[in-house]
Amino acid sequence: MVPHLITALTGPINELEQRILESMPAIERWFRLEWMEHTPPFYTSVDLRNAGFKLAPVDTNLFPGGWHNLTPEMLPLAVQAAMAAIEKICPEAKNLLLVPERHAGSFYLANLQRLKNIFHQAGLNVRLGSLDESLTGPTTVTLPDGSDLTVEPLQRVRGRVGLKDFDPCTVLLNNDLSAGLPAKLENLHEQYLLPPLHAGWAVRRKSKHFQSYEEVAKKFSKLMGMDPWLINPMFAQCGQVDFSHGDGLDCVQTQADAMLAKVRRKYKEYGINEKPFVAVKADNGTDGMGILMVRDAKELAELSRRALEKMGEAKDGQHVTEVLIQEGVPTYERMHDAVAEPVVYMIDRYVVGGFYRVHAERGTDENLNTPGARYVPLAFAEHNQLPKPGAKPGVSAPNRFYMYGVIGRLAMLAASYELEATDPDAEVYE
């Protein structure tokens, strides 16, 4: 089933779907040429929002969890993509070290088990090595499905990281480094660390990503002969913000007001009868923390002390000092009468699957990545379902998924641009 759009404003998206399907050979060639010049992130997940009049990524994760939400039917694609990715990086690899988050609940452990299975089936011995200093020996946990997962303390010997009697060629991070860059992972000797350290939230900024995405969206829109705004969320950034003391809020308020005015102008241009909003979020951060939806900039001046403190909190006890002000993209997709947004998963440059994040207690203009969210696999991401050119827009599930995959890959390409621009080891040419 394709989750239904509950808005009559489906014109631009149906036109976009049709244009993308008609341009499939040109689009695939365009991506092929881009990947000749740029290296894709090792793996990526992208949160999309489909407003009917606009389809855009709102978050790009370079350390994706949630792999257990992909259906078994999607796994062969993931395994093939993992094989291709490893072959490019370390063809002779036999050992892969997976570095997880320090604190893990049962859902996250199920995600690790799925990742382990994918890379095991790609032909690698996979073991888990934790950065948690309190872990002194191998610890085995039993998952709800009855399977076991063993996590061991990470060791560093002669500039290489591994485990006891386990020396990997490749180290795969599933830890977004919100707490900072671990010394154990710096300056590794002849080992591949994926993603690189500067992809972690200790260094990375969402504003840099969306700056790169804007560049990609303009290139792609030129190819398609369309307005980039249809696939690009506008944004601004404020630094030196201290929510606990109210410092820097004037910048956030000014930028939010200016962004709302820009969105109003675009809505007027397209005849969209909607009330615009902006998302104020931590410029470095994940897990849906530190996000505020604002419909009037005056709301920021009226925030309670508790709301300000909550906005200032980020993952792993970090404080928010830089803020992204992003055009709010409502989601008008519904599944079983609950608001839904698609999340696309990729390994290397390949789309391998995805799911809908569904929240029955959230509105179309709210953050869905909060407690109470459910994850419904993309029912149309089944094998043997290729796009169907000529099908009526908005009704063919594979066509909708292909369109989501294109926008997801644009965000992944933007992440590639972003990582190149922020690489501390890159050579700079005058």
Side-chain angles (χ1 to χ4, degrees), residues 222-237:
K222 189 176 179 182
L223 172 78
M224 300 293 290
M226 59 182 264
D227 180 356
W229 178 75
L230 292 173
I231 58 170
N232 181 35
M234 297 184 287
F235 74 96
Q237 193 258 5

Side-chain angles (χ1 to χ4, degrees), residues 115-188:
L115 270 177
K116 185 180 176 185
N117 289 344
I118 288 169
F119 288 99
H120 175 76
Q121 289 181 56
L124 294 163
N125 300 313
V126 186
R127 283 167 66 177
L128 275 65
S130 176
L131 289 162
D132 188 349
E133 299 292 344
S134 65
L135 195 70
T136 56
T139 301
T140 300
V141 287
T142 302
L143 291 144
D145 67 356
S147 62
D148 289 336
L149 198 62
T150 301
V151 184
E152 302 171 64
L154 199 66
Q155 299 177 351
R156 179 162 174 142
V157 181
R158 291 188 292 279
R160 290 174 69 88
V161 291
L163 307 172
K164 188 180 178 186
D165 304 322
F166 190 77
D167 185 25
C169 161
T170 307
V171 181
L172 179 61
L173 284 173
N174 198 243
N175 179 320
D176 62 25
L177 307 180
S178 292
L181 302 183
K184 274 185 179 177
L185 298 179
E186 292 181 339
N187 304 313
L188 296 180

Side-chain angles (χ1 to χ4, degrees), residues 42 81-94 96 119 122 124 170 194 348:
F42 188 79
M83 284 177 173
I86 291 292
E87 199 172 296
K88 279 197 306 190
I89 294 155
C90 187
E92 71 279 10
K94 62 178 181 178
L96 176 83
F119 288 99
L124 294 163
T170 307
L194 303 164
D348 195 58

Side-chain angles (χ1 to χ4, degrees), residues 66-100:
W67 289 92
H68 59 297
N69 292 316
L70 272 57
T71 63
E73 289 83 6
M74 298 176 192
L75 291 186
L77 276 176
V79 170
Q80 287 172 348
M83 284 177 173
I86 291 292
E87 199 172 296
K88 279 197 306 190
I89 294 155
C90 187
E92 71 279 10
K94 62 178 181 178
N95 295 335
L96 176 83
L97 179 67
L98 181 58
V99 180

Side-chain angles (χ1 to χ4, degrees), residues 253 256-257 260 294-303:
Q253 196 168 341
D257 202 35
L260 286 165
V294 177
R295 291 152 199 83
D296 188 324
K298 290 175 188 167
E299 294 171 19
L300 290 161
E302 297 163 1
L303 285 175

